[in-house]
């Protein structure tokens, strides 16, 4: 009996010892395979991981003979090794094909000012796509933080069949993106960001053209679209900006890359001195102007009308449009302007004050240079792009009042009637703030009621109590709602409404103001975002086909109406057309907007009381 118990004890001991291996082994295996799958890793990463796990199996007995502290060290080294493996076997960066759907057919050659190019046809050969066309020289080396220089010419035929590098920007790891998508229940947002295997580089000043023109005899209207991304991210290659559908309607559609982050908006006294125009910063805006000039000189070869150009953009792209409409440097480069959810007519409340002056921006640049222990711009130019990007994570990078691109604030330029007086089609969405407040973005997200009150009192000072009456935050749930609503109204609605009012007051050209109120279909968490920031884009440019969502006939109808408005406006400066609901131009007295949603028609401007408060608040900032 005693021997049987001893035998049973020895057997249980062996099982227990074996579990000391199998439990951590299986946990590591499951974790590794999960990360490899989520990160969409290469076959090399999978193969090396499997080989490493097989080696561990063969070494099982040796591992078990070590003391527990050595075993723990071995497991830790294996976990670290597999972690590095997933990083260093990540898919190599590749420039995306301009036509990802099926085998592409090469187009006939076109002559640009820099040489001959060929593009590719879309899948049904109704649209020609020319991607990665240089509109300026690579802003690298000594050209870092200088105005864009002319692109070099080439001999032979340049194959314009792949998108170019994206501008330098931080990339969100795939596993983090997938966690966001799992929370939303859909990966639809992946079509609004660069792909993780797209290369980023300072060598990024390229544009892309979609055209259905059969010849350059009958010239088509042109839309030049500027991507968003808070002036720190984005690319003209992003799926949501695909120009095929608009090209099919009869527009030559252009997207571009421009310098962003510290590469696009660094100011410093030494840069100002060397510039030749007594200013620094706003290099990203100068890039956009260079792209518009390229379009003016070259778009006729693609069947476009160089004298019928509409500059358009969303978010930071729309803010850029407001800068371009205000800038004397952009005069004559476009005949119409479209702005979706973004302008720079004042501050951003709890998220930041008004635009910096040149002096203020130069001080930011001096402080940054000091933080890097550098004594000159030459030393900063020698820093690698990756090191500079990493070091500048917390540096403010936005357009500034530099005295050159912007001789004054955009508000003052419009108030004095000195803007480029062109017809504008502008607006915002009903629930803009939800994307920034209710999702766990690293730099954003909702704060508690107490924290929000602190932010409000710091930003609004003597008007804080009035703000809190409009946007109460007695509980955390109420604070979240108020953060979404105040963010929507101040960051977006007020700027677009102010833009419309000022153009109506001082300009001769008409304004068409919209309010997008339609929520996209999808899982519950996705639908809860409502008509949030950026959700109008696939409707405005008729790109629902690119999203993996169950769009209804109602969605398709809205997309057809909205994209037709956008096409008509690009063609004539007036969005109206046969069979479309009548869109009357904005009138400050009646103060009505065009609702685009389940109902399409004019409505009174929403949230007038909130907008009035921000009018008074911003007026106080301007008068200080």
């Amino acid at each position: 009996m005693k021997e049987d118990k001893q035998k049973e004890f020895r057997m249980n001991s062996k099982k227990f010892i074996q579990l000391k291996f199998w439990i951590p082994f299986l946990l590591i295996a499951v974790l590794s395979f999960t990360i490899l799958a989520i990160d969409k890793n290469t076959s090399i990463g999978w193969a090396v991981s499997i080989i490493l796990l097989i080696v561990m199996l063969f070494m099982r007995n040796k591992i078990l003979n070590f003391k527990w502290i050595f075993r723990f060290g071995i497991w830790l080294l294996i976990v670290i090794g597999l972690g590095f493996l997933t990083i260093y076997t990540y898919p190599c960066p590749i420039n995306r094909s301009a036509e990802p759907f099926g085998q592409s057919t090469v187009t006939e050659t076109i002559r640009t000012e820099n040489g001959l190019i060929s593009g590719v046809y879309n899948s049904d050969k109704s649209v020609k796509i020319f991607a990665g066309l240089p509109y300026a020289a690579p802003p690298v080396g000594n050209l870092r933080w200088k105005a864009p220089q002319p692109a070099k010419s080439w001999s032979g035929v340049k194959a314009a069949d792949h998108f170019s590098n994206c501008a330098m920007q931080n990339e969100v790891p795939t596993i983090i993106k997938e966690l966001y998508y799992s929370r939303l229940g859909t990966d639809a947002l992946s079509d609004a960001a660069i792909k993780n295997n797209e290369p980023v580089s300072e060598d990024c000043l390229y544009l892309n053209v979609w055209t259905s023109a059969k010849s350059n005899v009958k010239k088509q209207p042109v839309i030049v679209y500027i991507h968003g991304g808070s002036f720190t991210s984005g690319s003209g290659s992003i799926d949501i900006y695909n120009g095929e559908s608009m090209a099919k309607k009869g527009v030559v559609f252009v997207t571009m890359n421009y310098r962003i982050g510290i590469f696009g908006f660094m100011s410093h006294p030494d840069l100002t001195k060397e510039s030749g125009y007594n200013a620094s910063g706003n290099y990203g805006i100068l890039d956009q102007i260079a792209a518009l000039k390229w379009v003016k000189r070259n778009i006729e070869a693609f069947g476009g009308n160089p004298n019928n150009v509409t500059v358009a953009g969303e978010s930071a792209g729309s803010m850029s449009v407001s800068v371009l409409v205000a800038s004397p440097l952009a005069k004559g480069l476009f005949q119409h302007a479209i702005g979706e959810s973004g302008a720079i007519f004042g501050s951003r409340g709890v998220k930041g004050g008004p635009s910096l002056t040149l002096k203020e921006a130069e001080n930011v640049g001096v402080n940054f240079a000091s933080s890097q222990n550098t004594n000159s711009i030459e030393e900063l130019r020698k820093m690698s792009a990756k090191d500079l990007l990493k070091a500048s994570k917390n540096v403010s990078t936005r357009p500034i009042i530099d005295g050159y691109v912007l001789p004054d604030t955009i508000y003052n330029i419009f108030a004095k009637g000195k803007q480029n007086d062109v017809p504008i089609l502008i607006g915002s969405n009903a629930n803009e703030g939800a994307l920034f407040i209710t999702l766990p973005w690293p730099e954003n997200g909702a704060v508690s009621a107490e924290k929000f009150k602190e932010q409000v009192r710091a930003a609004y000072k003597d008007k804080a109590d009035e703000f809190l009456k409009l946007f109460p935050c007695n509980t955390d749930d109420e604070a979240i709602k108020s953060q979404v609503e105040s963010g929507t109204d101040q960051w977006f609605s007020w700027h677009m409404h102010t833009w419309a009012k000022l153009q109506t007051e001082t300009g001769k050209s008409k304004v068409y103001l919209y309010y997008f109120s339609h929520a996209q279909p999808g899982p519950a968490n996705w639908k809860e975002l409502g008509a949030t920031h950026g959700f109008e884009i696939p409707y405005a440019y008729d790109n629902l086909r690119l999203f993996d969502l169950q769009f209804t006939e109602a969605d398709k109808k809205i997309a057809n109406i909205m994209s037709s408005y956008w096409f008509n406006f690009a063609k004539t400066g007036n969005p109206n057309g046969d069979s479309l609901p009548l869109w009357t131009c904005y009138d400050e007295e009646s103060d009505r907007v065009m609702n685009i949603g389940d109902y399409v028609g004019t409505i009174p401007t929403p949230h007038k009381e909130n907008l009035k408060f921000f009018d008074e608040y911003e007026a106080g900032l301007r008068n200080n």
Side-chain angles (χ1 to χ4, degrees), residues 548-568:
D548 188 20
L549 294 171
Q550 299 301 311
F551 290 110
T552 64
E553 288 304 314
D555 289 292
K556 295 173 185 176
K557 181 180 178 182
I558 293 169
N560 182 56
I561 291 173
M562 196 170 184
S563 61
S564 295
Y565 280 142
W566 265 234
F567 167 74
N568 291 338

Side-chain angles (χ1 to χ4, degrees), residues 49 68 87 135 286 317 329 382 414 438 469 478 525 531 604:
S49 295
W68 72 268
I87 294 171
Y135 67 84
L286 291 173
L329 300 186
K382 289 177 182 177
F414 271 79
T438 60
K469 285 180 183 178
E478 190 176 50
N525 287 348

Side-chain angles (χ1 to χ4, degrees), residues 105-345:
T105 302
V106 178
T107 68
E108 65 276 13
T109 59
I110 286 179
R111 180 172 293 280
T112 70
E113 63 184 359
N114 296 115
L116 294 171
I117 60 169
S118 64
V120 291
Y121 282 98
N122 68 336
S123 56
D124 65 8
K125 296 186 179 181
S126 61
V127 173
K128 290 173 280 189
I129 309 164
F130 301 88
L133 301 177
Y135 67 84
V140 299
N142 289 331
L143 294 184
R144 180 186 282 176
W145 300 316
K146 286 190 177 180
Q149 301 299 305
K152 290 183 178 180
S153 297
W154 56 84
S155 58
V157 179
K158 181 180 177 65
D161 55 0
H162 281 74
F163 293 112
S164 69
N165 303 324
C166 305
M168 283 301 299
Q169 58 196 278
N170 289 307
E171 298 172 87
V172 180
T174 301
I175 191 167
I176 301 298
K177 287 183 180 180
E178 293 297 332
L179 289 174
Y180 283 141
Y181 302 155
S182 65
R183 172 170 174 168
L184 290 170
T186 174
D187 65 354
L189 277 181
S190 66
D191 294 313
I194 69 169
K195 306 303 180 186
N196 269 49
N197 62 336
E198 283 191 84
V200 298
S201 171
E202 282 188 274
D203 180 7
C204 64
L205 301 186
Y206 300 85
L207 52 74
N208 317 295
V209 180
W210 287 260
T211 178
S212 62
K214 303 300 182 185
S215 71
N216 59 7
V217 176
K218 189 177 180 181
K219 300 178 182 64
Q220 295 183 348
V222 180
I223 292 179
V224 179
Y225 190 90
I226 304 172
H227 71 75
S230 301
F231 295 109
T232 58
S233 64
S235 172
S237 65
I238 292 174
D239 289 339
I240 201 172
Y241 309 137
N242 186 288
E244 182 177 326
S245 293
M246 293 303 283
K248 286 182 177 180
K249 285 180 177 287
V251 167
V252 177
F253 198 83
V254 180
T255 65
M256 70 173 85
N257 293 344
Y258 56 96
R259 284 173 283 182
I260 53 180
I262 197 165
F263 303 94
F265 298 94
M266 167 82 168
S267 288
H268 192 281
D270 291 347
L271 291 174
T272 298
K273 289 177 184 176
E274 72 170 37
S275 67
Y277 50 84
N278 200 34
S280 59
N282 287 341
Y283 303 107
I285 303 298
L286 291 173
D287 293 342
Q288 296 166 11
I289 292 171
L292 285 166
K293 289 179 177 178
W294 185 96
V295 168
K296 186 82 170 175
R297 298 190 304 268
N298 291 276
I299 206 65
E300 196 168 359
F302 300 85
N305 185 345
N307 297 314
N308 191 11
V309 175
T310 298
V311 63
E314 188 270 345
S315 192
S318 182
M319 294 180 193
S320 298
V321 172
S322 72
V323 174
L324 293 168
V325 175
S327 177
L329 300 186
K331 186 175 180 62
L333 296 179
F334 51 88
Q335 286 65 51
H336 320 117
I338 296 175
E340 302 166 36
S341 305
I344 313 177
F345 283 86

Side-chain angles (χ1 to χ4, degrees), residues 249 251 401 405 414 419 434 436 438 446 469 489 492 536 564:
K249 285 180 177 287
V251 167
I401 315 305
V405 173
F414 271 79
Q419 72 273 26
F436 304 94
T438 60
K469 285 180 183 178
D489 288 339
F492 303 100
E536 88 290 348
S564 295

Side-chain angles (χ1 to χ4, degrees), residues 65-128:
N65 287 332
F66 288 121
K67 291 182 178 180
W68 72 268
I69 192 159
F70 291 113
R71 283 202 307 273
F72 176 79
I74 290 169
W75 293 124
L76 183 61
L77 286 173
I78 291 169
V79 169
I80 293 171
L82 289 170
F84 276 107
L85 180 67
T86 59
I87 294 171
Y88 288 104
T89 59
Y90 195 77
C92 294
I94 54 170
N95 295 106
R96 294 173 57 209
S97 172
E99 173 43 54
F101 307 109
Q103 190 171 359
S104 57
T105 302
V106 178
T107 68
E108 65 276 13
T109 59
I110 286 179
R111 180 172 293 280
T112 70
E113 63 184 359
N114 296 115
L116 294 171
I117 60 169
S118 64
V120 291
Y121 282 98
N122 68 336
S123 56
D124 65 8
K125 296 186 179 181
S126 61
V127 173
K128 290 173 280 189

